[in-house]
């Protein structure tokens, strides 16, 4: 290939003075592009920095910076006493305009294919936190000043450990604090060594599925139930077995009839999502007996069981089991705030080492500083006080929701008074489609998940709406109910 003249090279490298990008970067990028597309062939000599600087009207340092960068990247090579040349070992780059487009089927892995199959979701929240988005607490009353003070105190320790890798199982002080608190608050039977801190409840579900369920093995899931659990299990290739939920919780006998040797059962016994029911003692004992006889495991999802609106929180299933067959999953996304991304597993002793190894392999550890702050928040008593405050506040907001629905929606939607948690169920009358009503509500700026979107099996489900109330004041709740009434009138 013929060589390019110095004048032609200078013309091809001329930078745009109107661009905000530094001159040396512009020259570097133009030179790189012409080398890759073959305009400047292998062995082509590049004019000296003095010549190029004069031709382009830039400083010599600008040219030298560009050339040194491309020598470092391997596009150019300097030869003593002779000059700078285009490297001879560079294959010509593919021209994007003539390249064949990617295949319509990118040949997803089996995991990628399962991800596509599990993308169905209930309607998500609007761009802002609008009624009645479930799963979010009263963020506006979080004790920001306390958290800020503790955060500053942690940094003032100037401990090198805050900047180092932490233990994959989590900060020991935090694990001890969780064990002590949950032993008293929920009757958990576990010590700090059985606790694994994870990056949110979803990761806890994923680790459990990875370690205890082989692809194709059966897993009981509540129907209707939490779609996040179904997604994590489906991505692992589990064979999901929908088990109906009634007023007593998961119907264990229906589960046994459908899949007597399932490997895992996923339940939310304290406050089921979305039905909001509490599993009876009889059903809990049935479930534990089945797990023991089937050599199966139980994942107890206690996402908002702390928020009992009347009376005291119930003992966790893990405490009733003695920690033999139950993996307990707790999260601070509901009790504190979602962006914290900290949750925890309470794992039977014989499983701990493998769970910690899996956590280390997946993402090494959770953020060290946030764990240290949270540990102080719990140890100093702020967490317990915050929970007590939220219980009283959520009880008031639940009452406001029920009362507003009675005023504005009588005969169209009956809101069932919740006994715990952060959401309620509104039962639709006259056989209306909850999906159609949910779409109409969105047009009115209201988030109302259709209960049918949480269904997994083929069993009939009474149409209803999942209404979160924890994040909204009484005025917001009433305004949301009025707008929901408009949506129902349009349907």
């Amino acid at each position: 290939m013929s060589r390019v003249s110095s004048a032609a090279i200078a013309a091809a490298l001329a930078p745009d003075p109107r661009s905000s990008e530094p001159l040396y970067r512009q020259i570097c990028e133009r030179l790189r592009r012409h080398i890759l597309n073959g305009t400047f062939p292998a062995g082509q000599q590049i004019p000296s920095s003095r010549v190029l600087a004069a031709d382009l009207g830039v400083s010599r340092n600008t040219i030298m910076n560009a050339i040194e960068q491309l020598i470092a990247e391997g596009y150019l090579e300097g030869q003593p006493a002779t000059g700078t040349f285009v490297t001879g070992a560079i294959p010509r780059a593919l021209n994007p305009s003539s390249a064949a487009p990617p295949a319509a089927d990118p040949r997803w892995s089996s995991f990628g294919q399962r991800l596509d199959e599990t993308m169905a979701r209930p309607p998500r929240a609007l761009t802002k936190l609008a009624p009645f988005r479930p799963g979010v607490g009263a963020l506006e009353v979080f004790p920001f000043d306390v958290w800020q003070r503790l955060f500053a105190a942690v940094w003032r320790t100037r401990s090198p450990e805050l900047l180092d890798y932490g233990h994959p199982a989590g900060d020991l002080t935090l694990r001890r604090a969780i064990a002590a608190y949950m032993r008293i608050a929920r009757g958990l039977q576990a010590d700090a060594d059985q606790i694994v801190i994870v990056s949110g409840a979803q990761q806890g579900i994923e680790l459990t599925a990875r370690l205890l369920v082989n692809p194709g093995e059966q897993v009981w899931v509540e129907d209707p139930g939490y779609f996040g659990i179904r997604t994590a299990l489906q991505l692992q290739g589990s064979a999901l077995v929908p088990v109906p939920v009634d007023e007593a919780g998961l119907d264990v006998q229906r589960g046994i009839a459908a899949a007597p040797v399932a490997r895992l059962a996923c339940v939310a016994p304290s406050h089921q999502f979305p039905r909001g029911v509490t599993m009876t003692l009889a059903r809990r004992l049935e479930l534990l007996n089945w797990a023991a006889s089937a050599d199966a495991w139980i994942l107890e999802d206690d996402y908002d069981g702390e928020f009992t609106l009347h009376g005291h929180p119930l003992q966790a299933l893990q405490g009733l089991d003695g920690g033999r067959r139950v993996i307990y999953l707790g999260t601070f996304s509901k009790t504190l705030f979602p962006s914290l991304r900290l949750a925890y597993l309470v794992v039977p002793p014989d499983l701990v080492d493998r769970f910690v190894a899996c956590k280390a392999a997946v993402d090494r550890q959770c953020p060290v500083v946030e764990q240290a702050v949270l540990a102080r928040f719990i140890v100093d008593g702020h967490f317990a006080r915050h929970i007590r405050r939220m219980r009283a506040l959520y009880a008031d907001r639940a009452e406001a929701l029920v009362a507003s629905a009675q005023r504005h929606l009588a005969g169209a939607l009956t809101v069932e008074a919740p006994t715990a948690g952060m959401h309620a169920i509104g039962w639709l009358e006259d056989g209306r489609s909850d999906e159609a009503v949910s779409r109409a509500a969105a047009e009115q700026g209201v988030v109302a998940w259709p209960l049918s979107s949480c269904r997994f099996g083929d069993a009939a489900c009474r149409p209803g709406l999942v209404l979160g109330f924890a994040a909204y004041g009484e005025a917001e709740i009433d305004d949301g109910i009025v707008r929901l009434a408009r949506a129902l009138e349009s349907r």
Side-chain angles (χ1 to χ4, degrees), residues 15 136 183 193-194 204 243 250 286 323 337 355 423 444:
V136 183
R183 189 177 300 116
D193 291 338
Q194 292 176 243
V243 181
L250 182 87
E286 277 187 316
F337 53 94
F355 268 79
H423 74 275
Q444 296 291 331

Side-chain angles (χ1 to χ4, degrees), residues 228-269:
I229 283 183
R230 299 203 306 261
T231 298
L233 293 168
Q234 286 174 319
L235 288 176
Q236 297 301 326
S238 305
L240 272 56
V241 179
V243 181
V245 173
D246 58 24
E247 297 304 317
L250 182 87
D251 191 332
V252 178
Q253 294 304 315
R254 295 279 294 274
I256 293 173
V261 292
R263 181 64 176 158
L264 177 70
C266 298
V267 296

Side-chain angles (χ1 to χ4, degrees), residues 239-455:
L240 272 56
V241 179
V243 181
V245 173
D246 58 24
E247 297 304 317
L250 182 87
D251 191 332
V252 178
Q253 294 304 315
R254 295 279 294 274
I256 293 173
V261 292
R263 181 64 176 158
L264 177 70
C266 298
V267 296
S270 295
H271 185 240
Q272 200 269 342
F273 185 89
R275 286 288 307 274
V277 299
T278 298
M279 184 180 286
T280 63
L281 176 60
R283 287 277 178 87
R284 292 174 185 233
L285 293 174
E286 277 187 316
L287 182 62
L288 293 174
N289 290 337
W290 165 78
S293 63
D295 191 24
W297 300 98
I298 300 168
L299 178 62
E300 178 180 10
D301 180 15
D302 198 21
Y303 66 102
D304 68 356
E306 283 288 284
F307 297 128
T308 301
L309 304 183
H310 306 286
H312 298 286
L314 301 177
Q315 180 188 31
L317 185 64
Q318 191 270 358
L320 184 61
D321 171 56
R324 294 184 296 270
R325 288 279 171 185
V326 176
I327 296 99
Y328 178 93
L329 174 60
T331 177
F332 294 103
S333 292
K334 304 297 186 290
T335 53
L336 295 180
F337 53 94
S339 67
L340 184 59
R341 304 314 306 143
L342 289 177
Y344 59 95
L345 292 167
V346 181
V347 182
D350 292 343
L351 306 184
V352 170
D353 289 346
R354 198 60 63 91
F355 268 79
V356 174
C358 189
K359 168 62 179 177
V362 169
D363 70 349
R364 185 58 179 80
Q365 70 195 48
C366 293
V368 174
V369 176
E370 284 77 2
Q371 291 186 68
V373 176
L374 178 55
R376 291 197 178 198
F377 192 79
I378 297 174
V379 171
D380 292 351
H382 302 296
F383 182 75
R385 284 191 289 273
H386 180 66
I387 293 298
R388 289 195 296 269
R389 183 184 183 189
M390 292 302 99
R391 284 176 187 154
L393 180 63
Y394 293 168
D396 290 343
R397 291 182 172 184
E399 290 179 7
L401 176 68
V402 173
S404 182
Q406 290 173 344
R407 287 195 302 271
H408 302 292
L409 294 170
L413 185 80
T414 302
V415 176
E416 192 173 88
T419 59
M422 304 161 68
H423 74 275
I425 295 294
W427 298 109
L428 287 163
E429 308 297 341
D430 301 328
R432 298 172 188 251
S433 164
D434 55 12
E435 293 184 356
V437 171
S438 178
R439 290 191 295 270
E443 295 173 0
Q444 296 291 331
V446 173
V447 177
W449 289 0
L451 186 61
S452 61
S453 69
C454 302
R455 194 175 63 218

Side-chain angles (χ1 to χ4, degrees), residues 50-367:
R50 190 181 306 276
V51 171
L52 277 179
D55 288 346
L56 298 178
V58 299
S59 73
R60 190 179 176 193
N61 283 339
T62 296
I63 301 299
M64 291 176 65
N65 285 339
I67 290 176
E68 288 172 1
Q69 177 67 32
L70 293 183
I71 289 176
E73 293 180 6
Y75 292 92
L76 301 176
E77 55 187 20
Q79 297 180 11
T82 57
T84 303
F85 299 84
V86 175
T87 302
I90 301 178
R92 184 169 179 174
L94 186 65
N95 185 347
S97 63
S98 62
D105 180 5
R107 295 195 301 170
W108 295 113
S109 68
S110 58
F111 182 93
Q113 292 171 1
R114 289 194 296 271
L115 182 65
D116 183 63
E117 294 165 359
T118 60
M119 287 306 292
R121 293 287 189 276
R124 307 308 289 171
L126 305 180
T127 54
K128 66 176 184 176
L129 188 57
F132 296 98
R133 176 183 165 191
V136 183
L139 303 180
E140 78 282 3
V141 298
F142 180 78
F144 290 96
D145 55 339
V146 173
W147 191 265
Q148 183 180 25
R149 186 171 68 250
L150 293 176
F151 212 105
V154 166
W155 275 118
R156 281 197 300 270
T157 64
R158 297 180 180 273
S159 171
E161 285 76 13
L162 291 174
L163 306 180
D164 198 2
Y165 292 105
H167 194 287
D171 179 85
L172 180 57
T173 303
L174 175 58
R175 289 186 281 131
R176 286 172 174 166
I178 292 171
Y181 175 84
M182 294 302 292
R183 189 177 300 116
I184 296 171
R186 303 302 305 281
L188 259 67
Q189 297 188 32
D191 56 32
D193 291 338
Q194 292 176 243
I195 293 177
V196 182
I197 307 298
V198 292
S199 301
Q202 203 66 21
Q203 185 180 65
I205 299 166
E206 180 189 11
L207 294 185
T208 302
R210 282 191 181 194
L211 289 169
L212 298 179
V213 185
N214 287 314
E217 288 186 319
Q218 294 177 314
V219 178
W220 291 4
V221 292
E222 295 174 321
D223 187 28
Y226 176 51
F227 45 84
I229 283 183
R230 299 203 306 261
T231 298
L233 293 168
Q234 286 174 319
L235 288 176
Q236 297 301 326
S238 305
L240 272 56
V241 179
V243 181
V245 173
D246 58 24
E247 297 304 317
L250 182 87
D251 191 332
V252 178
Q253 294 304 315
R254 295 279 294 274
I256 293 173
V261 292
R263 181 64 176 158
L264 177 70
C266 298
V267 296
S270 295
H271 185 240
Q272 200 269 342
F273 185 89
R275 286 288 307 274
V277 299
T278 298
M279 184 180 286
T280 63
L281 176 60
R283 287 277 178 87
R284 292 174 185 233
L285 293 174
E286 277 187 316
L287 182 62
L288 293 174
N289 290 337
W290 165 78
S293 63
D295 191 24
W297 300 98
I298 300 168
L299 178 62
E300 178 180 10
D301 180 15
D302 198 21
Y303 66 102
D304 68 356
E306 283 288 284
F307 297 128
T308 301
L309 304 183
H310 306 286
H312 298 286
L314 301 177
Q315 180 188 31
L317 185 64
Q318 191 270 358
L320 184 61
D321 171 56
R324 294 184 296 270
R325 288 279 171 185
V326 176
I327 296 99
Y328 178 93
L329 174 60
T331 177
F332 294 103
S333 292
K334 304 297 186 290
T335 53
L336 295 180
F337 53 94
S339 67
L340 184 59
R341 304 314 306 143
L342 289 177
Y344 59 95
L345 292 167
V346 181
V347 182
D350 292 343
L351 306 184
V352 170
D353 289 346
R354 198 60 63 91
F355 268 79
V356 174
C358 189
K359 168 62 179 177
V362 169
D363 70 349
R364 185 58 179 80
Q365 70 195 48
C366 293

Side-chain angles (χ1 to χ4, degrees), residues 9-24:
I9 291 177
L13 301 184
D16 181 0
R18 297 168 298 178
S19 173
S20 60
E21 189 164 6
L23 295 175
Y24 92 92

